[in-house]
Every structure is written in C-alpha cells, then in structure tokens.
Amino acid sequence: MDNKRIDNLKAILAADPQDTFARYALGLEYISLAEFEQAKDIFEEICVLDPTYVATYYQLGKTYEQLGDESNARKIYEKGIFVARSQNDDHTKSELEQALNDLL
C-alpha cells in the first residue's frame, strides 16, 4: 500500500508511541481505505493505551459494524457512553447513544 499519510503517521508514532491523536488518525486512514481489520487493531490499541480518548469508541464501534461484529460494537458503544458520561461530554455521549440505538 502506497499511502504517504499512513507512512507519515507511522513515522510520528515511531518517534512518539504515546501520540494518541496520530494513532487515531492512522485508524481513520485505514477506514478511508476500507482496511477495517487494521483500523480495528489501531482503535483497540487506543482503548488500552488511552481509554479516556472518547472519540475512539465511536470509530471502533463503527469498525466492528463494518466487520459484521454487532456484539462487540454494542459493547464498545456502551463503554464509550460510560466514558463520555464520566467526562461530561454530552455531545459524544449523544453520538454513541444514537449509534447504539441504530444498532438495536
């Protein structure tokens, strides 16, 4: 795969493995290429390394949906709602609730 953005993001992560935003952007790049397994792996890493990065839960849930894994999508949306609520992030909480309702 010849994608300069992916290469650039990987270089950023090589220099700073704790850069959650670069890792998140890498996951989004994989989604844009319909590389859902790679995106899933990236978003799952973020959930472990930085579980308060609330935007990840929406993207990971949508990625699970693309992979046909509704059970894990449901679980990750529910976890994301909990994290968003704990951060008083009503906007993200609402988006996650909508994604969960759409799934049900």
Side-chain angles (χ1 to χ4, degrees):
M1 164 183 2
D2 182 28
N3 187 312
K4 282 195 180 282
R5 288 182 291 216
I6 287 177
D7 292 341
N8 289 340
L9 290 166
K10 286 182 176 181
I12 291 168
L13 287 170
D16 182 5
Q18 302 304 314
D19 188 332
T20 302
F21 180 76
R23 192 173 307 276
Y24 180 79
L26 181 59
L28 294 177
E29 286 299 318
Y30 283 128
I31 286 176
S32 74
L33 297 171
E35 298 286 344
F36 299 112
E37 283 292 335
Q38 290 88 338
K40 176 183 70 80
D41 292 344
I42 295 294
F43 294 135
E44 286 177 344
E45 287 175 7
I46 296 170
C47 286
V48 171
L49 298 171
D50 190 355
T52 62
Y53 200 81
V54 72
T56 303
Y57 295 96
Y58 181 85
Q59 294 300 331
L60 180 54
K62 288 297 181 185
T63 301
Y64 280 135
E65 286 187 54
Q66 288 292 326
L67 293 169
D69 189 348
E70 290 184 4
S71 176
N72 274 324
R74 188 175 308 108
K75 289 176 190 173
I76 208 69
Y77 289 143
E78 290 169 349
K79 184 173 181 183
I81 290 166
F82 174 80
V83 172
R85 185 180 298 126
S86 72
Q87 295 178 6
N88 295 317
D89 185 342
D90 292 332
H91 177 75
T92 304
K93 180 178 147 291
S94 176
E95 287 180 336
L96 288 161
E97 288 170 339
Q98 184 62 52
L100 180 60
N101 287 335
D102 290 347
L103 189 60
L104 303 174

